[in-house]
Amino acid sequence: MPRGCWPIPMPLVAQSADGSWSSSLFGSVNECTGWAWGARALGCLHRKDRETPPPCSRSPQPQGLQRPTRLRTRVASARALVQPEVEELEPAPSGPGSQVAEKHELGRLQYSLDYDFQSGQLLVGILQAEGLAALDLGGSSDPYVRVYLLPDKRRRHETKVHRQTLNPHFGENFAFKVPYVELGGRVLVMAVYDFDRFSRNDAIGEVRIPMSSVDLGRPVLAWRELQAAPREEEKLGDICFSLRYVPTAGKLTVIVLEAKNLKKMDVGGLSDPYVKVHLLQGGKKVRKKKTTIKKNTLNPYYNEAFSFEVPCDQVQKVQVELTVLDYDKLGKNEAIGRVAVGAAAGGAGLRHWADMLASPRRPIAQWHSLRPPDRARPLPAP
């Protein structure tokens, strides 16, 4: 080491497998004592918005130092050897969706709330958003906002789509007719989506506000951070069938009517669907029927009837399971989704079964959404 020089500890920074950062003092950088002011000024160089170091008031400037010329050259060489501070390290963005605001990963939304007591309406204003995540390959998004009041997700409003912007100004207002006494049990959802003309629109984030936490005695104007939207289950399609039970004859009839919007299973973007109908007792399959195969369609029409012998004292102990499958001539037939109805089915399956028993000898038709095959089977009846 040259005379008059001392080691300056240099922090080395490493990133672990889980994405966190750690630092350790390892090695040293030699600087001469004649440049003490310049070496201590290195801390000022870590600021991203400074190209040259400002004077440091803590250390006296050595006499004869030509700060505009000699210090700039000397410090620039040392700057390349010193790692940045740990707290200033940020992973570099990569790929679509990574160009986001510094503090707001998904962005934030400004909205307004008010209640019109005369008309009994909740007034929701979607004002603007800023710092939205970029989901398009060009580093931008085409955002719009979907507004609805849970648990009623069918009645919803949507803003206009704003093209190629991460800071859209919406300025739109929507009204929900809800009695004030019922408003406390509702949850307002404002979900921001990226519009895509040729595929499914992607969720950027959402804001959920339990209305029980809002004081509507005066208008509300606020900003809220967007949170990741709950992942929606993959749509498998819907099936319509009717149930008919004749107690005197002990006869249960299932008529498979049609299906729509089935999941694409074949390479060509279609499917060859057919339906298996199982009668279960104690969780075990005791009877099986199946429809004909409909080629190259996602919206098959069947209108095929199947009958099962079910005594009156057993009708509350059986279940019916319908499975939609895609026929494959060369390989294994794949299940698209299932529906279960019966006393142990729960949800829409239980309601359909109860309606059938309440109207003997009459066919009761109903649409059901298909569930994943491993989640649709009911529990064994006691």
Side-chain angles (χ1 to χ4, degrees):
M1 181 181 299
R3 174 180 293 180
C5 297
W6 75 95
I8 300 176
M10 180 177 68
L12 294 184
V13 184
Q15 187 176 23
S16 61
D18 59 357
S20 61
W21 296 89
S22 60
S23 64
S24 62
L25 293 177
F26 182 80
S28 61
V29 177
N30 293 330
E31 291 294 337
C32 293
T33 55
W35 302 101
W37 182 88
R40 295 183 182 181
L42 285 177
C44 302
L45 292 176
H46 298 316
R47 301 181 181 273
K48 290 182 281 186
D49 57 344
R50 305 277 181 97
E51 288 299 327
T52 58
C56 267
S57 58
R58 294 183 180 179
S59 299
Q61 179 177 348
Q63 296 181 357
L65 177 64
Q66 302 294 328
R67 187 172 60 192
T69 56
R70 297 175 65 188
L71 174 63
R72 185 175 303 166
T73 304
R74 195 73 174 185
V75 170
S77 63
R79 183 182 183 184
L81 298 175
V82 179
Q83 298 289 337
E85 298 291 342
V86 175
E87 55 268 22
E88 294 187 17
L89 285 173
E90 296 178 358
S94 60
S98 59
Q99 299 180 11
V100 297
E102 191 174 59
K103 294 183 179 180
H104 315 298
E105 183 181 353
L106 300 176
R108 60 178 189 157
L109 179 71
Q110 187 186 37
Y111 64 93
S112 65
L113 296 176
D114 198 5
Y115 190 80
D116 188 339
F117 288 90
Q118 292 184 348
S119 61
Q121 289 184 324
L122 175 67
L123 308 177
V124 182
I126 305 298
L127 305 180
Q128 61 179 318
E130 68 177 24
L132 296 180
L135 300 187
D136 296 340
L137 292 177
S140 187
S141 291
D142 301 321
Y144 70 96
V145 183
R146 183 179 296 170
V147 188
Y148 53 92
L149 270 174
L150 291 176
D152 188 4
K153 196 173 181 179
R154 294 173 298 176
R155 296 172 55 191
R156 66 190 186 192
H157 301 284
E158 292 182 354
T159 68
K160 296 179 181 178
V161 177
H162 289 248
R163 302 284 183 178
Q164 299 294 313
T165 178
L166 302 180
N167 302 284
H169 289 262
F170 299 103
E172 299 187 42
N173 297 283
F174 308 103
F176 294 90
K177 185 78 172 178
V178 183
Y180 185 75
V181 294
E182 299 179 6
L183 200 56
R186 301 293 191 94
V187 176
L188 177 65
V189 180
M190 297 171 284
V192 184
Y193 286 84
D194 173 42
F195 175 78
D196 195 321
R197 183 180 297 275
F198 302 105
S199 64
R200 187 177 181 180
N201 300 336
D202 297 316
I204 297 176
E206 67 178 22
V207 172
R208 293 194 173 215
I209 303 175
M211 296 308 300
S212 59
S213 66
V214 180
D215 180 10
L216 292 174
R218 56 183 179 179
V220 175
L221 178 65
W223 284 93
R224 288 284 291 270
E225 302 290 332
L226 293 179
Q227 304 297 321
R231 187 174 180 179
E232 296 183 2
E233 290 187 354
E234 184 181 16
K235 302 297 184 182
L236 302 176
D238 304 284
I239 185 171
C240 182
F241 58 92
S242 71
L243 298 174
R244 178 175 180 260
Y245 184 67
V246 181
T248 54
K251 186 177 181 181
L252 172 66
T253 302
V254 181
I255 303 177
V256 180
L257 297 171
E258 59 180 313
K260 65 180 181 180
N261 302 325
L262 296 179
K263 179 183 175 182
K264 303 172 184 177
M265 303 294 286
D266 297 340
V267 177
L270 295 174
S271 294
D272 301 323
Y274 69 99
V275 182
K276 278 186 179 181
V277 184
H278 288 99
L279 182 71
L280 291 84
Q281 187 169 13
K284 297 181 179 180
K285 298 176 181 178
V286 294
R287 297 285 188 277
K288 179 180 72 173
K289 311 278 187 178
K290 64 180 179 180
T291 68
T292 56
I293 299 169
K294 304 298 179 180
K295 294 285 188 178
N296 299 321
T297 180
L298 301 178
N299 302 281
Y301 180 78
Y302 299 101
N303 196 25
E304 300 181 32
F306 308 98
S307 296
F308 301 93
E309 298 293 330
V310 180
C312 225
D313 59 344
Q314 298 293 319
V315 71
Q316 292 286 16
K317 300 179 181 179
V318 300
Q319 297 89 37
V320 175
E321 183 181 88
L322 293 88
T323 306
V324 182
L325 299 101
D326 174 47
Y327 173 76
D328 194 326
K329 191 174 183 179
L330 301 177
K332 183 180 179 181
N333 300 338
E334 293 186 74
I336 299 175
R338 287 193 179 106
V339 170
V341 293
L350 175 60
R351 289 193 299 271
H352 195 177
W353 193 260
D355 291 343
M356 174 197 72
L357 295 178
S359 303
R361 294 178 295 276
R362 288 182 53 192
I364 305 297
Q366 185 174 315
W367 281 97
H368 294 261
S369 294
L370 294 175
R371 309 291 292 173
D374 58 342
R375 293 177 52 186
R377 184 161 294 158
L379 296 173

